Every structure is written in structure tokens, then in C-alpha cells.
Amino acid sequence: MDTLSLQNPVFATYVIAATLVILKAVSMSWLTVVRMMQVKGGFRSPEDLRKTALNLEPDPKQLEPNERVERIRRIQLNDLENLPFFLVAGLLFVLTDPSLLLTQVLLYGYVVSRLLHFAAYFTAQTHDMRAALWTVGSVILIFITCRTLLAALGY
């Protein structure tokens, strides 16, 4: 069986986990736009103040930061700081031929930790709560990276 084939359940697990985190990250842009339209603000560029069908009453205050919009942007930035490492590390981990159960626990665990982190951030939970959820994902990422390194070194 080819390692990088959807016939390989370990690789299929990676593909599912990677697809979920990519869809989550991409959805943040859409959520930002929805929030900007809801609050009619949080815009960033001066040209956003032009009168259009979507902005019939432009106001310079629309360029001021809006906490509801900025919260989504912070969540998206957190994804952009974390998800690329998972995508690369997860793929390299698959190449080590780990067990299916271990792969599922780690990769799906990472996805769940990111979704819970999003929910905590979106609902303005404490930093401690967000940090705990982030830590779970970070520890998983460190584990799969170190395990991959050890496999590459022949251990």
C-alpha cells in the first residue's frame, strides 16, 4: 500500500484532519466579512469608505477598530501562526508509518483542540482557558514532530 494514498488509513486520517483545519481557517475570513457587515465597521482600508451597494452610508468611523471584528481577526492570526506547522508536521509524521490509533488520537486531538480554542476565543473565555486549549494542540504538535525526528534519525 502506498503511504500517500487514501487507501492508507493513516494518510486518510491526516487528509481528514488537514482538511478540517484548512476549512476552519478559511472560514475565518468569511466570518470576518459577516461581522464587518453586521457592525458596519471594522474596515481597514480608506477605499472601504466609498459608497457602494454594500455600504450605502460610508462613515469615517467605519475605519476605527471594532472589537467584534478584531476578535475574529485575532483568532485568524492565531490559526495562521499554528496551522501551517500542523500541516507539515502531520504529513511528515504519516511518513513514519505510525499506528492508525496513535495517528487518529493525535491528529483528531489536534483538530478538536483547535476547534475548542476557537470556541473559547470566540465566546471571550479567559486567557487561562484559551491557553489550556492551545497547550493541548501545541503538545500534540511537539510530540509528532519529535517522534518524526527520532524516526528520521533511525530511533
Side-chain angles (χ1 to χ4, degrees):
M1 174 182 344
D2 291 331
T3 301
L4 298 181
S5 163
L6 290 176
Q7 304 310 309
N8 176 355
V10 170
F11 182 66
T13 298
Y14 168 76
V15 170
I16 292 167
T19 302
L20 289 173
V21 296
I22 290 168
L23 285 171
K24 187 254 182 241
V26 169
S27 70
M28 298 311 301
S29 296
W30 287 97
L31 186 54
T32 302
V33 170
V34 168
R35 276 283 169 94
M36 288 169 55
M37 295 298 104
Q38 285 175 342
V39 302
K40 295 182 171 96
F43 303 150
R44 287 206 163 153
S45 302
E47 62 271 17
D48 297 342
L49 294 182
R50 293 181 188 149
K51 186 173 183 176
T52 67
L54 295 176
N55 192 8
L56 295 172
E57 299 178 18
D59 183 329
K61 290 183 179 180
Q62 290 174 319
L63 291 178
E64 295 175 2
N66 177 284
E67 176 51 29
R68 294 185 72 210
V69 175
E70 293 306 313
R71 176 169 297 280
I72 303 303
R73 286 188 174 125
R74 288 190 301 270
I75 295 169
Q76 185 174 33
L77 180 59
N78 189 276
D79 281 348
L80 294 173
E81 293 169 347
N82 289 275
L83 299 186
F85 295 112
F86 170 74
L87 295 173
V88 173
L91 181 59
L92 295 175
F93 179 68
V94 166
L95 297 175
T96 69
D97 197 28
S99 75
L100 177 59
L101 179 61
L102 179 64
T103 302
Q104 289 173 331
V105 168
L106 294 171
L107 300 189
Y108 293 154
Y110 184 86
V111 172
V112 169
S113 76
R114 293 306 302 171
L115 293 173
L116 291 174
H117 180 269
F118 161 76
Y121 214 144
F122 189 76
T123 59
Q125 301 302 309
T126 65
H127 177 266
D128 294 356
M129 173 65 75
R130 293 192 325 267
L133 294 167
W134 175 87
T135 299
V136 170
S138 182
V139 167
I140 290 171
L141 190 55
I142 291 167
F143 178 85
I144 66 174
T145 303
C146 289
R147 176 142 179 183
T148 301
L149 178 61
L150 290 173
L153 293 172
Y155 294 103

